[in-house]
Amino acid sequence: MIFASIEFGLYIIIVFIIYWFIVRRNLTLQNAFLLTAGYVFYAWWDWRFLFLLIGVSTFNYLIGRGIDNNPAVEEGESIDAKAARQARNRKLLLVFGVIVNVLILGVFKYFNFFIDSFIQMVAVTGYDLPRSTTRFVLPVGISFYTFLSLSYIIDIYRDTIKAEKSLMNVLLTLSFFPIIFAGPIQRPSTLLPQIKTARVFTYDKAADGLRQFLWGAFAKLVLADQLAPFVADFFSNETYYSGSTLALGLVFFGIQLYADFSGYSNMAIGIGSILGFKLMQNFNYPYFGRDITDYWKRWHISLTSWFRDYFFMPLSFTISYNTNRKKVLLIRTDLFVFIVASLITWMLTGLWHGANYTFMYWGLINGVLLVVYYLQRKPRKELFRKYGINNNNTALVIFERFFNLGVILLGLVFFRADNMSHALSFFSEMFDASLFTIPQFIGMKRAMLTTLLCIIFFIIEWKGRANLYPLEKMGLKWEKPVRYAFYYLVILVIFMFGGAHQQFIYFQF
Amino acid sequence: METMTTMQRKECVMDYVMKEFLEMYDDKIEYATPLVSSGLIDSFSMMSMLAYIQNTFEVKIPPGKATPEAFDSIDSIVALVEKYLPEKVGSEQKVMA
């Protein structure tokens, strides 16, 4: 059951009626219903993995309670033996919790990858090991709920939140159905208080949720699903098409990926609003970013901020804390810390997306780009001062936006390619003399129409870029009939074009 | 290292922030200007600054204390540094005298 389906339409109507009209007066009952609804939603996809979800949630509940029962010790505080033992237990419980969560994710998501890589590595030495027959199926949403679980126990350890006493509240936090499959990865510090407080139905909030869902459905069904067959064709037959066609195909993929995932996120956040929740924003118009740093502050915010808070910062701190020299490997220590921590973090961010070297390289490329951007800031300032260039010059800003977009799209070849040789083949076919010819491909008329829809989509995104999603405030001051005509037009376009029903790209992560 | 006064430490951090993080050399900030909460410095850059501070002032900021709040202004950064300086009181008094 995916959001943009008749099944889900019926499901959400039933959930809405029971949630707001039957169990509203009793918070515990309402949460119990939400938990059951979430498990039904998850089991609809694959009931076998529901037990894993319940097991992981219960495990993290117990670890959280254990950490909380062993108080932290302040730096420099004089403590007795019992307090020292508790502080040690606290740390051990956290380490144990993190290892178990990562192991579960590792086994289900990376087992096949590691085994295959090991066999390939051994094959280089001349020994051919038999291919493993054990293959693990990836439980949908595991990357997302594992990260949410890690946040939960790390936040308890850091004293950002208290361990939740109610098992049901933890189960619900880790299986909240709008976000269970592909995020946005919430922070327990913002989601748990909402679960523990009675939600109040307001027309404005529900209408806001519906608008956001509508915009997400438009992006997913009209753009992403329409673009998917073109992109699949370009990336499967790259030797057949001209360089210019492949370049256009790459632009199509960039739009498909954004429309698919931001569409999903807007639908998820919209459903959250309909149920009285406020969920974290996941996209902030990333393709309008001026540079690579700006882009990554706007793309998949819930994941990048997760890696920043739970991986990059502790890693940087550890490196920095253990380095007493002014320079490491001839590099200033502050730069060294940034470079090493960035590259490791982005490599893992890439690998998070999938067990494939292409994702790892994609992550590393982004890490390198971020480091290059970081290092060029000072020479850039010098240059601008020397030649009196205004940093906010409109032409410069536009140029930098398009340049940035080009760099991001090139990196996405690795994201989309099946393997490294496929990515390199795509590049070599794209960057030949035919790059400067007019693009030609089968289904030109449909491609032109899809391109037109993409342009309309980005015009609306640009006009609404100051808001959480483009339709948030757009049209609120229009006359009611005009506003509703606009909404119905969007719905009409969705029904006209939204028949392809492609899977959400991020469900595979 | 020669002992520094609070003002010298602030100047030192100010110089680093201006060189490394401000968009342009003409941009101005004060010691109390919000750095992280205003978006002037992101959390990634904050960790480079932590490394710089630990090295420059030969201080170890304990785990959990290098928070965005503690790094939000030059005033708060220097206050954090001085809290964890070894033999802080003695050295400060020496300079003051």
Side-chain angles (χ1 to χ4, degrees):
Chain A
M1 181 161 44
I2 56 169
F3 289 159
S5 67
I6 302 290
E7 282 167 329
F8 184 76
L10 289 172
Y11 168 85
I12 194 69
I13 289 169
I14 295 167
V15 167
F16 184 86
I17 292 170
I18 298 175
Y19 181 81
W20 283 121
F21 295 101
I22 299 175
V23 293
R24 186 183 56 166
R25 289 180 196 285
N26 184 328
L27 181 62
T28 311
L29 198 60
Q30 200 185 34
N31 281 344
F33 169 70
L34 212 47
L35 179 65
T36 313
Y39 284 160
V40 168
F41 183 69
Y42 193 84
W44 203 285
W45 194 269
D46 196 331
W47 62 269
R48 293 168 302 168
F49 295 126
L50 182 60
F51 301 107
L52 180 70
L53 173 64
I54 296 171
V56 167
S57 309
T58 310
F59 171 76
N60 283 291
Y61 165 79
L62 294 171
I63 290 287
R65 295 279 291 162
I67 293 172
D68 218 23
N69 287 337
N70 291 281
V73 177
E74 272 290 309
E75 190 81 12
E77 191 182 329
S78 59
I79 49 167
D80 58 16
K82 187 185 170 197
R85 194 177 61 245
Q86 285 181 324
R88 198 180 56 240
N89 289 346
R90 186 180 169 87
K91 195 173 245 177
L92 283 174
L93 278 166
L94 175 76
V95 172
F96 178 64
V98 169
I99 289 174
V100 169
N101 277 299
V102 173
L103 262 181
I104 292 171
L105 180 65
V107 166
F108 281 99
K109 191 165 178 171
Y110 301 102
F111 179 83
N112 304 338
F113 172 68
F114 285 131
I115 291 292
D116 292 345
S117 301
F118 181 71
I119 293 171
Q120 279 171 15
M121 216 164 67
V122 173
V124 175
T125 62
Y127 291 100
D128 277 337
L129 291 176
R131 195 177 151 80
S132 165
T133 48
T134 312
R135 312 301 285 178
F136 278 90
V137 179
L138 182 71
V140 66
I142 191 168
S143 310
F144 295 90
Y145 69 71
T146 301
F147 272 38
L148 185 55
S149 304
L150 287 169
S151 297
Y152 178 68
I153 57 172
I154 296 171
D155 282 358
I156 293 170
Y157 181 79
R158 289 176 174 174
D159 260 339
T160 315
I161 56 168
K162 298 298 284 177
E164 182 53 46
K165 289 196 173 79
S166 154
L167 172 64
M168 189 177 73
N169 286 349
V170 176
L171 295 179
L172 179 54
T173 302
L174 302 181
S175 68
F176 187 46
F177 78 85
I179 57 165
I180 184 68
F181 285 161
I185 306 164
Q186 300 300 299
R187 296 303 166 85
S189 56
T190 54
L191 186 55
L192 255 172
Q194 296 187 70
I195 284 173
K196 291 163 73 178
T197 316
R199 276 81 62 181
V200 181
F201 178 84
T202 64
Y203 172 81
D204 286 347
K205 193 163 185 183
D208 184 52
L210 274 177
R211 269 196 303 274
Q212 190 156 5
F213 186 89
L214 181 67
W215 187 243
F218 179 81
K220 166 65 183 160
L221 295 173
V222 178
L223 291 196
D225 288 357
Q226 292 297 315
L227 288 165
F230 289 111
V231 174
D233 185 24
F234 295 142
F235 274 85
S236 311
N237 305 301
E238 74 275 9
T239 49
Y240 180 77
Y241 289 112
S242 67
S244 57
T245 313
L246 294 179
L248 188 67
L250 187 54
V251 173
F252 274 11
F253 175 59
I255 300 172
Q256 184 207 351
L257 187 64
Y258 172 61
D260 193 284
F261 196 27
S262 76
Y264 165 82
S265 299
N266 277 328
M267 284 193 260
I269 299 168
I271 296 162
S273 298
I274 292 167
L275 298 173
F277 285 85
K278 184 168 173 50
L279 302 178
M280 175 182 195
Q281 188 184 11
N282 215 16
F283 287 88
N284 183 20
Y285 312 97
Y287 289 153
F288 300 151
R290 185 174 173 178
D291 51 61
I292 190 78
T293 309
D294 196 13
Y295 169 78
W296 277 113
K297 281 179 190 166
R298 295 158 174 260
W299 180 279
H300 202 174
I301 300 166
S302 65
L303 178 74
T304 48
S305 60
W306 193 98
F307 267 104
R308 180 195 68 203
D309 295 345
Y310 298 104
F311 191 81
F312 177 88
M313 290 177 77
L315 177 66
S316 308
F317 185 86
T318 308
I319 302 171
S320 148
Y321 197 78
N322 293 302
T323 312
N324 296 319
R325 285 171 288 165
K326 299 267 183 227
K327 286 190 174 182
V328 183
L329 301 172
L330 302 174
I331 304 170
R332 254 174 39 210
T333 306
D334 54 319
L335 286 181
F336 176 81
V337 170
F338 180 81
I339 292 169
V340 173
S342 291
L343 294 181
I344 297 174
T345 304
W346 285 95
M347 192 181 78
L348 287 179
T349 307
L351 260 184
W352 177 91
H353 286 81
N356 194 331
Y357 286 112
T358 50
F359 288 119
M360 197 174 82
Y361 285 117
W362 170 75
L364 260 178
I365 289 167
N366 279 284
V368 170
L369 288 172
L370 285 160
V371 168
V372 170
Y373 176 78
Y374 191 90
L375 297 176
Q376 62 82 48
R377 291 180 311 173
K378 252 163 88 179
R380 183 177 189 272
K381 268 196 287 194
E382 292 285 355
L383 197 76
F384 278 30
R385 180 163 67 174
K386 192 174 171 187
Y387 294 104
I389 300 169
N390 179 0
N391 191 38
N392 297 319
N393 180 292
T394 312
L396 178 74
V397 173
I398 292 172
F399 169 76
E400 287 188 342
R401 277 204 171 113
F402 278 100
F403 179 77
N404 186 43
L405 202 53
V407 171
I408 289 158
L409 287 174
L410 289 177
L412 282 180
V413 170
F414 291 97
F415 192 95
R416 180 61 177 77
D418 300 331
N419 49 49
M420 287 307 288
S421 61
H422 183 205
L424 297 176
S425 159
F426 191 90
F427 276 125
S428 73
E429 294 294 334
M430 187 168 77
F431 287 111
D432 71 5
S434 63
L435 183 62
F436 304 101
T437 58
I438 295 169
Q440 280 289 337
F441 44 88
I442 304 156
M444 195 70 173
K445 216 185 234 176
R446 195 158 182 83
M448 296 291 275
L449 187 66
T450 308
T451 308
L452 181 70
L453 286 167
C454 291
I455 293 169
I456 294 169
F457 173 79
F458 278 107
I459 289 173
I460 296 174
E461 288 256 315
W462 178 260
K463 294 283 280 179
R465 69 190 185 283
N467 304 308
L468 290 174
Y469 62 94
L471 299 193
E472 188 187 12
K473 303 233 168 75
M474 192 175 286
L476 288 187
K477 287 181 185 161
W478 299 348
E479 291 292 325
K480 222 173 178 179
V482 179
R483 181 150 49 99
Y484 277 88
F486 174 68
Y487 296 149
Y488 285 123
L489 180 67
V490 175
I491 295 170
L492 188 71
V493 174
I494 291 174
F495 278 102
M496 273 174 70
F497 291 92
H501 282 316
Q502 303 282 336
Q503 180 61 271
F504 284 103
I505 295 173
Y506 267 69
F507 275 24
Q508 62 186 297
F509 304 147
Chain B
M1 187 188 144
E2 197 180 310
T3 314
M4 296 169 91
T5 63
T6 298
M7 193 46 77
Q8 284 170 325
R9 288 188 188 105
K10 285 184 184 179
E11 281 168 12
C12 187
V13 178
M14 168 77 91
D15 187 51
Y16 180 76
V17 170
M18 289 186 69
K19 275 189 190 150
E20 296 293 327
F21 303 120
L22 295 192
E23 283 272 329
M24 290 291 113
Y25 281 118
D26 303 338
D27 294 348
K28 294 271 183 291
I29 54 163
E30 308 284 333
Y31 294 134
T33 303
L35 301 174
V36 182
S37 62
S38 67
L40 211 59
I41 294 179
D42 58 32
S43 304
F44 291 99
S45 307
M46 191 189 105
M47 298 317 287
S48 311
M49 187 148 76
L50 171 71
Y52 169 80
I53 283 162
Q54 297 204 124
N55 250 292
T56 308
F57 303 122
E58 294 175 356
V59 63
K60 292 281 182 201
I61 309 291
K65 300 295 173 190
T67 59
E69 295 75 34
F71 273 73
D72 204 30
S73 70
I74 293 171
D75 280 337
S76 61
I77 293 167
V78 172
L80 180 74
V81 167
E82 294 186 342
K83 193 173 169 189
Y84 294 102
L85 270 178
E87 295 166 24
K88 174 188 61 175
V89 178
S91 59
E92 289 286 316
Q93 282 173 339
K94 234 189 291 173
V95 173
M96 300 297 261

